């Protein structure tokens, strides 16, 4: 089975997708680190609010702009930095990204400030952005357009439904093109009527219910926003195009349990349905079998006792190994099911490590499995 390096070869964007809690952030960081060690200038983007990425890369904090990881920290962990590779990281600020998008599409500074300072915009900008998913794609598109990096690795937002990420650009486009927004921004719409003196009975009722200040804010917001519609539509379509571009590859990250495997299979089918490029799957925290058959607990305990000379300890160890093998068999069957459903596409297994990954050394340990062939992965995991 191929290594992750061969899976993403020639790609400029790698999107690590999957449900929450399966190790997407750690896997994204490890891939970025591994490619930087191979001479690439790489940036990894995350929306992880727990700051695990910053901590693992030795950074005090991450913001909405890319920050370079100190080469000395990489060198201390044994990462080669003499080949020109660089590792950068950032944590997305969805609100700041949307503000920048407004500023980019505003007709002038006055129109920009009218929107950014508007109370309505400040309250609903997150919803208008199509949630964090769209802003993640927007920032990714911005960095890709700048051409500063050889490779961008995106850790998709934690979500119960990974498909939200694929649908985000479409949701924003539908919002902009939808009838509800057009009612407000067309020349004879609510915004124009609020701005005029003859507001009519309906608007008089609205004024009494919500106050004129709110209606005035609505009028100002939609009037200013109307001048940005074309720019937002074009941008959303271009962002959506990046998802299906041949320069972009999706990696599905999952765990070996039944439910994550089923979600990975479903997500893969949706990627194919949407004609997006699938690179492979990474299954984290896999228990590898230590033998080819399950040994009886009594027999194993007896063999262990010959070495340990402690019957109680030998018994407990034998039971533990037996239970481990049961879980390993389950993982193996689930991964076989995944491989079959993916029609033989690459499936990379990362073993259940003894310790949590919380630093560059831990990421390097993961890369021992990501950046090698399956036969060597098995040897490493079972030796």
């Amino acid at each position: 089975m191929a290594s992750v390096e061969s899976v993403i070869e020639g790609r400029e964007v790698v999107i690590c997708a999957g449900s929450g809690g399966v190790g997407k952030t750690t896997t994204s960081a490890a891939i970025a680190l591994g490619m930087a060690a191979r001479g690439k200038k790489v940036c990894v983007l995350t929306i992880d609010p727990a700051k695990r990425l910053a901590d693992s890369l030795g950074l005090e904090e991450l913001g909405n702009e890319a920050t370079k990881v100190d080469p000395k920290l990489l060198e201390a962990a044994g990462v080669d930095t003499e080949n020109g590779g660089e590792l950068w990281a950032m944590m997305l600020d969805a609100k700041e990204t949307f503000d920048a998008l407004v500023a980019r599409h505003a007709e002038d500074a006055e129109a920009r400030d009218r929107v950014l300072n508007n109370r309505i915009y400040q309250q609903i900008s997150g919803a208008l952005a199509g949630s964090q998913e769209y802003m993640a794609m927007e920032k990714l598109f911005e960095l890709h357009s700048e051409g500063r990096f050889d490779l961008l690795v995106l850790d998709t937002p934690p979500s119960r439904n990974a498909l939200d990420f694929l649908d985000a650009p479409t949701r924003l486009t539908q919002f902009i093109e939808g009838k509800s927004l057009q009612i407000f921004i067309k020349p004879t719409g609510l915004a124009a009527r609020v701005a005029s003196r003859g507001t009519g009975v309906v608007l008089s009722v609205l004024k009494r219910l919500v106050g004129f200040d709110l209606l005035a804010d609505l009028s100002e917001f939609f009037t200013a926003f109307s001048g940005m519609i074309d720019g937002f539509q074009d941008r959303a379509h271009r962002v959506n195009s990046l998802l299906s571009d041949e320069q972009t590859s999706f990696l599905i990250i999952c765990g070996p349990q039944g439910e994550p495997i089923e979600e990975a299979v479903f997500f893969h089918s949706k990627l194919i349905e949407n004609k997006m490029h699938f690179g492979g799957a990474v299954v984290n925290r896999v228990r590898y079998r230590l033998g080819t058959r399950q040994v009886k607990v009594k027999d194993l305990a007896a063999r262990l006792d010959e070495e340990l000379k402690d019957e109680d300890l030998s018994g407990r160890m034998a039971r533990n190994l037996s239970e481990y093998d049961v879980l390993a068999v389950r993982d193996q069957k689930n991964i076989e099911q995944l491989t079959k459903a993916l029609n033989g596409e690459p499936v990379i297994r990362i073993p259940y490590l003894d310790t949590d990954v919380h630093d560059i050394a831990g990421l390097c340990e993961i890369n021992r499995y990501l950046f090698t062939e399956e036969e060597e992965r098995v040897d490493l995991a079972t030796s």
Side-chain angles (χ1 to χ4, degrees):
M1 198 66 72
S3 72
V4 74
E5 183 177 12
S6 61
V7 166
I8 65 177
E9 183 179 4
R11 307 294 186 181
E12 296 178 2
V13 175
V14 173
I15 299 175
C16 295
S19 55
V22 294
K24 290 198 304 293
T25 299
T26 300
T27 304
S28 301
I31 291 172
L33 174 63
M35 294 306 292
R38 286 157 178 76
K40 301 291 186 180
K41 185 177 181 180
V42 189
C43 182
V44 55
L45 301 81
T46 186
I47 307 181
D48 181 10
K51 294 181 61 178
R52 285 174 295 188
L53 179 60
D55 293 339
S56 66
L57 296 177
L59 299 171
E60 291 185 7
E61 60 181 13
L62 288 175
N64 208 43
E65 297 297 328
T67 300
K68 186 177 180 179
V69 178
D70 189 345
K72 293 181 180 179
L73 294 175
L74 301 180
E75 292 172 3
V79 178
D80 182 13
T81 59
E82 298 296 324
N83 54 11
E86 296 180 6
L87 179 58
W88 296 65
M90 62 169 291
M91 185 169 69
L92 178 73
D93 184 321
K95 178 67 166 58
E96 186 176 330
T97 301
F98 193 72
D99 288 351
L101 195 58
V102 168
R104 183 179 297 114
H105 294 303
E107 295 177 346
D108 50 41
E110 181 182 355
R112 175 199 65 202
D113 294 341
R114 286 174 65 191
V115 172
L116 295 181
N117 296 327
N118 185 274
R119 289 184 298 175
I120 301 300
Y121 169 77
Q122 292 170 357
Q123 291 295 320
I124 66 174
S125 57
L128 288 177
S131 74
Q132 289 182 323
E133 286 84 359
Y134 179 77
M135 285 299 100
M137 274 305 302
E138 169 58 36
K139 195 65 180 181
L140 185 71
F141 178 82
E142 177 186 322
L143 290 174
H144 183 260
S145 300
E146 292 174 356
R148 295 167 51 197
F149 299 98
D150 301 319
L151 177 66
L152 298 169
V153 181
L154 177 63
D155 164 32
T156 53
S159 172
R160 292 183 179 178
N161 185 2
L163 294 179
D164 288 345
F165 181 78
L166 298 181
D167 296 337
T170 301
R171 291 203 306 274
L172 179 64
T173 304
Q174 290 173 342
F175 171 80
I176 292 172
E177 297 174 350
K179 292 182 180 180
S180 58
L181 182 59
Q182 297 302 320
I183 289 174
F184 284 95
I185 64 176
K186 65 183 182 180
T188 57
L190 179 59
R193 295 176 65 190
V194 172
S196 67
R197 293 184 178 180
T199 57
V201 176
V202 174
L203 291 180
S204 296
V205 173
L206 283 173
K207 280 192 230 178
R208 289 196 299 271
L209 291 175
V210 301
F212 184 78
D213 286 345
L214 178 58
L215 289 178
D217 284 342
L218 281 169
S219 172
E220 181 181 52
F221 169 69
F222 286 111
T223 300
F225 190 73
S226 63
M228 306 177 192
I229 294 300
D230 290 342
F232 268 89
Q233 286 176 316
D234 176 68
R235 186 79 168 192
H237 286 303
R238 292 168 66 192
V239 167
N240 198 44
S241 295
L242 181 59
L243 280 172
S244 56
D245 194 284
E246 62 180 11
Q247 297 172 329
T248 300
S249 180
F250 281 83
L251 293 179
I252 296 178
I253 317 300
C254 65
Q257 300 82 11
E259 185 175 347
I261 292 290
E262 292 175 0
E263 290 179 359
V265 171
F266 177 69
F267 188 67
H268 171 259
S269 69
K270 290 301 179 182
L271 286 175
I272 302 304
E273 182 181 315
N274 285 276
K275 299 180 179 179
M276 295 177 183
H277 299 279
F278 173 69
V282 176
V283 187
N284 283 317
R285 307 185 185 105
V286 176
R287 296 170 177 84
Y288 281 73
R289 293 200 73 184
L290 302 179
T292 57
R293 63 187 181 88
Q294 188 173 14
V295 181
K296 293 182 179 179
V297 175
K298 288 184 178 180
D299 293 341
L300 181 57
R303 290 165 56 187
L304 289 170
D305 193 43
E306 292 178 3
E307 298 292 332
L308 299 176
K309 309 301 181 183
D310 186 327
E311 185 176 344
D312 180 63
L313 177 60
S314 298
R316 284 188 283 119
M317 287 186 64
R319 286 191 294 273
N320 182 272
L321 288 169
S322 178
E323 292 169 359
Y324 173 90
D325 191 66
V326 170
L327 294 175
V329 170
R330 181 209 63 181
D331 290 355
Q332 182 177 324
K333 290 181 178 179
N334 287 339
I335 293 171
E336 287 173 355
Q337 174 189 339
L338 174 65
T339 304
K340 182 178 179 180
L342 299 186
N343 299 315
E345 294 281 9
V347 176
I348 299 173
R349 298 183 293 168
I350 309 298
Y352 207 116
L353 301 179
D354 294 333
T355 59
D356 290 336
V357 176
H358 59 272
D359 55 17
I360 293 174
L363 296 176
C364 289
E365 177 65 17
I366 289 180
N367 282 343
R368 295 178 65 206
Y369 300 92
L370 283 174
F371 287 86
T372 191
E373 302 296 324
E374 175 66 10
E375 184 176 346
E376 186 175 349
R377 281 197 291 269
V378 174
D379 290 341
L380 287 170
T382 58
S383 60

